[in-house]
Structures are given as C-alpha cells and as structure tokens.
C-alpha cells in the first residue's frame, strides 16, 4: 500500500544496447522491491548515533560496562561517524577510526574496545533489518607478539622451587600457594580453592566451574599435600 520512488543513474557502458540497460534497471528494480518488502527502507535515514542509543536501550549490560561503552563511543566514534546515515557506513569508515587511534599511539587493546562495541551494534542492526552487512566485521586489530623465549627454563624452575621451599619452610600456607602456582594454577584458582575440592585420601583436587558445567580435576603433588596436611 505504499509507493516507493528511487532515481538510478547508470554509467555509460561500452557497446551496451538499450535492451541491456533496461535489463540492468529491471535487476535493480527487483532488488529494490525485495528491500522494501523486507523492511530495509523503513529507517533509511537513521543515523549511527540513533542506532547506538537504540542498541544500548535493547542490550543492557552491567552499569559499569554500560558506562564504559558510552564513554568509548563518545570519545572515539561519535565525532567520526555518529552523524552519518547508517546505510552509508562502510568498512573504510571503521578503518579510519582505528587508524586515527593508532596514530595517536593508543594501544591495540584500546582499539579493540571500539570493535567490541561496534560489531554487536551493527549485528543488532542487521537482525532488525536496518542494514544488510556488518561494516566492522572485517576490521581486525594486529596484536603485538608478547611471547617471550625463556632460556634455561629448567634451571630457573629449579631455582624458584628451591626458593619456595627455603623461604616458606615454616609457612605451609604460602608454601602450598606458590607450589600450586608453580604447578600451573592461576592466582584466582588457588585463592578460591576450597577444602571440599581437595581429596587428600586419593591425592587429587578439582577446580570448580573452570568451564561452563565442568570441573577440572588434577593430581595433587606430594609436596603440596604435605603443606596442606600441615595446615
């Protein structure tokens, strides 16, 4: 029940006949019809700022993260593309935002925070038939290689072990703590480990909820068991 009008200008094509021009225009007309029926043209004039407000309203997170998202958007995105029409946003616009951040010396982690906000925002727009493609999906941040090569690792581990056993010979709490760490446990895993998750009789322990609906079971080394028994 609605009339939709659109003006299309075709560039001149070498050796094209009038029939070929008409065929191309009919193809464009069919695409337009599909877009209208799918609802893509209902919010054709929506700006990126409007989308962000709509996205935040319909995708609330924790108060702290919501505040952070608004601050990141205001600082790095709003002035760059906020006033542009949503349908006009291309990957190059997102790329420019990241490039400017990089030129200012901002870390890869900070740059990635912008994408953490924009990608789901544009996905939200796709689900609601405001746009067809996510302009931020193909933008990736090159992370610095933080891996380090450790030389004489075995010798260094021996020194750490000897230091733990010497410094905390009379302190079973910290001896157990650092031996757990030396065996590969994270600080948070050690500090939240409960007595009911330690089986001293069968020499194993487990980290509760290490992954969704899973408990990770590990062997209990004799030296850690000895320190725990002292406790």
């Amino acid at each position: 029940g609605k009339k939709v009008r659109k003006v299309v200008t075709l560039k001149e094509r070498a050796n094209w006949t009038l029939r070929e021009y008409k065929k191309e225009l009919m193809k464009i007309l069919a695409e337009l019809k599909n877009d209208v029926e799918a609802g893509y043209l209902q919010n054709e004039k929506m700006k990126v700022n409007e989308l962000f407000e709509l996205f935040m309203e319909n995708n609330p997170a924790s108060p702290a993260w919501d505040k952070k998202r608004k601050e990141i958007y205001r600082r790095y995105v709003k002035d760059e593309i906020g006033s542009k029409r949503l349908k006009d946003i291309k990957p190059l616009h997102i790329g420019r935002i990241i490039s400017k951040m990089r030129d200012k010396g901002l870390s890869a982690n900070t740059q990635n925070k912008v994408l953490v906000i924009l990608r789901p925002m544009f996905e939200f727009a796709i689900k609601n038939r405001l746009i067809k493609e996510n302009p931020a999906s193909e933008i990736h941040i090159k992370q610095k290689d933080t891996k380090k090569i450790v030389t004489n690792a075995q010798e260094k581990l021996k020194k750490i072990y000897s230091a733990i056993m010497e410094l905390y010979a009379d302190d079973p709490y910290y001896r157990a703590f650092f031996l757990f760490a030396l065996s590969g446990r994270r600080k948070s895993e050690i500090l939240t480990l409960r007595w009911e998750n330690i089986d001293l009789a069968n020499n194993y322990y487990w980290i509760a909820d290490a992954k969704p609906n899973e408990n990770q079971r590990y062997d209990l080394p004799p030296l850690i068991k000895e320190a725990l028994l002292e406790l």
Side-chain angles (χ1 to χ4, degrees), residues 59-157:
N59 294 273
S62 66
W65 178 229
D66 277 349
K67 183 179 179 180
K68 189 69 176 177
R69 286 193 293 182
K70 289 178 181 178
E71 176 61 21
I72 292 170
Y73 182 86
R74 181 195 64 79
R75 184 175 295 182
Y76 305 115
V77 180
K78 188 174 182 178
D79 290 341
E80 296 294 331
I81 61 172
S83 60
K84 292 183 181 295
R85 289 191 302 181
L86 178 59
K87 70 168 194 171
D88 295 332
I89 300 300
K90 308 295 181 190
L92 64 91
H93 294 109
I94 314 300
R96 283 174 189 162
I97 293 174
I98 300 302
S99 294
K100 287 185 178 182
M101 294 177 72
R102 192 183 302 118
D103 292 342
K104 291 178 181 177
L106 296 172
S107 68
N109 185 47
T110 303
Q111 297 168 34
N112 195 57
K113 286 178 181 177
V114 169
L115 296 180
V116 167
I117 294 171
L118 293 183
R119 282 175 183 152
M121 184 183 82
F122 288 125
E123 285 299 323
F124 171 78
I126 291 173
K127 289 178 181 178
N128 287 278
R129 303 197 175 188
L130 300 172
I131 53 175
K132 293 182 179 180
E133 297 178 350
N134 189 331
S137 62
E138 298 301 320
I139 306 296
H140 302 285
I141 308 299
K142 186 176 181 181
Q143 299 284 348
K144 289 184 178 179
D145 187 3
T146 57
K147 293 182 180 179
K148 296 180 180 179
I149 298 175
V150 179
T151 57
N152 300 321
Q154 189 172 2
E155 189 64 32
K156 288 177 180 178
L157 281 173

Side-chain angles (χ1 to χ4, degrees), residues 4 18 36 64 70 101 153 170 180 205 222:
V4 177
L18 181 61
V36 171
K70 289 178 181 178
M101 294 177 72
D170 300 322
F180 266 126
Y205 66 97

Side-chain angles (χ1 to χ4, degrees), residues 5-229:
R5 178 178 295 170
K6 184 171 183 178
V7 177
V8 176
T9 303
L10 289 180
K11 292 182 179 179
E12 188 175 347
R13 311 289 177 90
N15 302 320
W16 266 31
T17 64
L18 181 61
R19 182 175 182 177
E20 288 170 310
Y21 280 112
K22 286 183 177 179
K23 184 178 179 181
E24 181 69 12
L25 285 169
M26 291 303 293
K27 178 183 175 183
I28 294 171
L29 176 61
E31 291 174 353
L32 176 62
K33 182 180 177 183
N34 289 336
D35 287 349
V36 171
E37 291 177 344
Y40 283 112
L41 301 186
Q42 291 179 9
N43 296 282
E44 198 174 27
K45 295 181 180 179
M46 177 178 278
K47 305 292 178 66
V48 176
N49 282 339
E50 295 176 81
L51 172 64
F52 179 70
E53 293 296 330
L54 193 63
F55 171 72
M56 292 293 292
E57 183 181 325
N58 288 274
N59 294 273
S62 66
W65 178 229
D66 277 349
K67 183 179 179 180
K68 189 69 176 177
R69 286 193 293 182
K70 289 178 181 178
E71 176 61 21
I72 292 170
Y73 182 86
R74 181 195 64 79
R75 184 175 295 182
Y76 305 115
V77 180
K78 188 174 182 178
D79 290 341
E80 296 294 331
I81 61 172
S83 60
K84 292 183 181 295
R85 289 191 302 181
L86 178 59
K87 70 168 194 171
D88 295 332
I89 300 300
K90 308 295 181 190
L92 64 91
H93 294 109
I94 314 300
R96 283 174 189 162
I97 293 174
I98 300 302
S99 294
K100 287 185 178 182
M101 294 177 72
R102 192 183 302 118
D103 292 342
K104 291 178 181 177
L106 296 172
S107 68
N109 185 47
T110 303
Q111 297 168 34
N112 195 57
K113 286 178 181 177
V114 169
L115 296 180
V116 167
I117 294 171
L118 293 183
R119 282 175 183 152
M121 184 183 82
F122 288 125
E123 285 299 323
F124 171 78
I126 291 173
K127 289 178 181 178
N128 287 278
R129 303 197 175 188
L130 300 172
I131 53 175
K132 293 182 179 180
E133 297 178 350
N134 189 331
S137 62
E138 298 301 320
I139 306 296
H140 302 285
I141 308 299
K142 186 176 181 181
Q143 299 284 348
K144 289 184 178 179
D145 187 3
T146 57
K147 293 182 180 179
K148 296 180 180 179
I149 298 175
V150 179
T151 57
N152 300 321
Q154 189 172 2
E155 189 64 32
K156 288 177 180 178
L157 281 173
K158 286 181 180 177
K159 288 182 179 180
I160 293 172
Y161 165 75
S162 298
I164 292 170
M165 299 304 291
E166 182 181 342
L167 285 169
Y168 303 111
D170 300 322
D171 190 336
Y173 178 87
Y174 281 105
R175 190 174 356 123
F177 179 92
F178 285 109
L179 286 174
F180 266 126
L182 196 65
S183 71
R185 300 281 64 76
R186 295 185 178 92
K187 180 180 178 181
S188 60
E189 293 174 338
I190 303 168
L191 291 176
T192 56
L193 186 62
R194 303 177 67 85
W195 284 112
E196 53 261 38
N197 291 348
I198 302 172
D199 189 333
L200 293 169
N202 296 299
N203 301 319
Y204 71 85
Y205 66 97
W206 62 92
I207 304 297
D209 300 322
K211 293 181 179 180
N213 302 317
E214 288 186 26
N215 290 327
Q216 297 293 310
R217 175 173 161 169
Y218 302 95
D219 292 330
L220 183 65
L223 286 172
I224 298 179
K225 178 181 178 180
E226 182 181 317
L228 294 175
L229 286 171

